[in-house]
Amino acid sequence: MREAPTVRTDGGRLSIELPGLTEPLTGTALAQLICTAADARLVETPDADTASTHVTVTVTGPGGWRAEDSSATCPSVTGAG
């Protein structure tokens, strides 16, 4: 990536918008991005309600593709997944 993605948070939801020239992600790369972002959000969130539940991550890319998953499907070092 030549540009940084745009990341937005809203409680237990996190969205990542990839820059326009990003190549499509493989399933493994997409899962890694989602799980890393979800785990980071759970670690940094001081809100006990969010930290005790799951984070939903939506990734959008060039051409309008979109993927969504939750920290519930991720292995986790924080014990949240």
Side-chain angles (χ1 to χ4, degrees):
M1 277 188 249
R2 294 177 187 230
E3 300 173 41
T6 301
V7 178
R8 294 181 179 88
T9 61
D10 181 14
R13 296 193 62 80
L14 188 143
S15 64
I16 302 170
E17 183 178 334
L18 301 176
L21 296 176
T22 304
E23 294 288 326
L25 300 178
T26 65
T28 300
L30 188 57
Q32 180 67 54
L33 176 60
I34 287 171
C35 290
T36 299
D39 200 48
R41 181 67 178 154
L42 287 168
V43 167
E44 78 161 8
T45 304
D47 177 350
D49 291 336
T50 300
S52 66
T53 59
H54 297 290
V55 174
T56 299
V57 180
T58 303
V59 179
T60 55
W65 65 267
R66 173 187 164 123
E68 184 171 292
D69 210 337
S70 167
S71 59
T73 62
C74 301
S76 177
V77 295
T78 63

